[in-house]
């Protein structure tokens, strides 16, 4: 009896460690108006984002992010420190799906416009729209940048102030870092 208990316990302990070592963050996506090729492109980018979010390098990038005044903080950070923002990303609790599920939940619509908008979303909708004019030409790292930008909007981060502040906001700042880290991983 004692042996069986020890064996079961060891098995559970092993499972917990194995899970921890493999994956801590996930994506879950609904596609609208996509063909199979474009779905595959976006899934590839989401897989890369998940791998980057799980990395120590991403943690350091968020924790050490500096704004244009040299402070270790984002602009338009909703009053949150870099540590808190990092935790919110890991929690994956979108404003409209507030359960912390460690999952990047995405509902993406493919559309075409000749205009210069790459992607957009609304605060009151879980959906994001991506412009095929850009997405059909983008590589995985560029798609990762835009998807991560849009997803941080779903966490409640914005860029309301002037365009000159954009590089230090969460959507633009971490979108750019995401592209950089994905590019590095894919080399
Ligand atoms: Ca989620
Ligand atoms: Zn935006």
């Amino acid at each position: 009896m004692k042996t069986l208990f020890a064996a079961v316990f060891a098995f559970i302990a092993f499972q917990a460690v194995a899970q921890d070592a493999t994956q801590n963050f996930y994506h879950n996506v609904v596609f609208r108006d996509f063909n199979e090729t474009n779905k595959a492109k976006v899934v590839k980018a989401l897989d890369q984002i998940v791998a980057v979010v799980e990395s120590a390098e991403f943690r350091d990038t968020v924790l050490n992010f500096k704004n244009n005044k040299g402070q270790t903080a984002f602009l338009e950070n909703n009053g949150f420190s870099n540590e808190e923002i990092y935790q919110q990303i890991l929690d994956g609790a979108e404003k409209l799906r507030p359960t912390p599920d460690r999952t990047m939940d995405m509902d993406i619509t493919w559309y075409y416009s000749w205009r210069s908008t790459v992607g957009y979303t609304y605060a009151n909708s879980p959906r994001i729209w991506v412009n095929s004019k850009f997405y059909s030409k983008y590589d995985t790292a560029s798609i990762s940048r835009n998807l991560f930008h849009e997803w941080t909007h779903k966490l409640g981060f914005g860029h309301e102030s002037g365009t000159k502040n954009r590089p230090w906001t969460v959507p633009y700042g971490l979108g750019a870092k995401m592209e950089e880290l994905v590019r590095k991983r894919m080399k």
Side-chain angles (χ1 to χ4, degrees):
M1 188 60 195
K2 219 185 206 170
T3 320
L4 178 64
F5 179 76
V8 168
F9 183 76
F11 179 71
I12 292 168
F14 175 76
Q15 285 291 91
V17 169
Q19 247 175 23
D20 215 45
T22 50
Q23 203 169 6
N24 284 307
F25 192 70
Y26 306 84
H27 63 72
N28 171 44
V29 58
V30 172
F31 288 115
R32 300 177 196 264
D33 305 331
F34 273 72
N35 68 25
E36 294 306 314
T37 309
N38 296 327
K39 275 184 200 172
K41 275 181 78 164
V42 165
V43 166
K44 200 173 165 191
L46 290 170
D47 288 343
Q48 288 294 326
I49 290 173
V50 161
V52 165
V53 167
E54 289 178 331
S55 71
E57 202 174 3
F58 179 75
R59 184 195 62 216
D60 295 343
T61 297
V62 180
L63 298 189
N64 299 324
F65 190 93
K66 285 192 170 49
N67 66 25
N68 53 345
K69 295 161 199 133
Q71 300 155 328
T72 305
F74 289 86
L75 296 182
E76 299 187 59
N77 54 27
N78 296 350
F80 295 115
S81 67
N82 288 10
E83 283 80 3
E84 288 166 324
I85 291 169
Y86 177 63
Q87 195 51 52
Q88 288 175 20
I89 291 167
L90 291 189
D91 286 347
E94 296 86 2
K95 287 283 172 212
L96 299 171
R97 298 182 68 149
T99 309
D101 55 4
R102 296 190 298 179
T103 301
M104 183 182 183
D105 288 287
M106 302 289 269
D107 183 331
I108 316 174
T109 303
W110 184 267
Y111 77 101
Y112 174 81
S113 166
W114 55 269
R115 292 172 189 275
S116 61
T117 302
V118 179
Y120 65 90
T121 186
Y122 303 103
N124 64 358
S125 171
R127 295 173 63 180
I128 73 167
W129 285 260
V130 299
N131 188 350
S132 60
K133 177 182 152 189
F134 297 96
Y135 265 61
S136 56
K137 293 191 189 105
Y138 274 4
D139 65 5
T140 304
S142 303
I143 290 177
S144 304
R145 179 188 190 128
N146 185 252
L147 290 178
F148 201 67
H149 174 117
E150 298 304 330
W151 185 65
T152 63
H153 282 315
K154 301 293 91 192
L155 296 180
F157 295 101
H159 43 82
E160 299 291 306
S161 64
T163 49
K164 68 179 196 316
N165 288 335
R166 283 183 174 178
W168 299 280
T169 61
V170 174
Y172 279 100
L174 289 185
K177 294 291 185 188
M178 182 55 68
E179 176 174 6
E180 202 181 300
L181 294 174
V182 168
R183 232 170 253 300
K184 211 163 138 186
R185 281 192 91 247
M186 293 187 75
K187 256 206 274 194

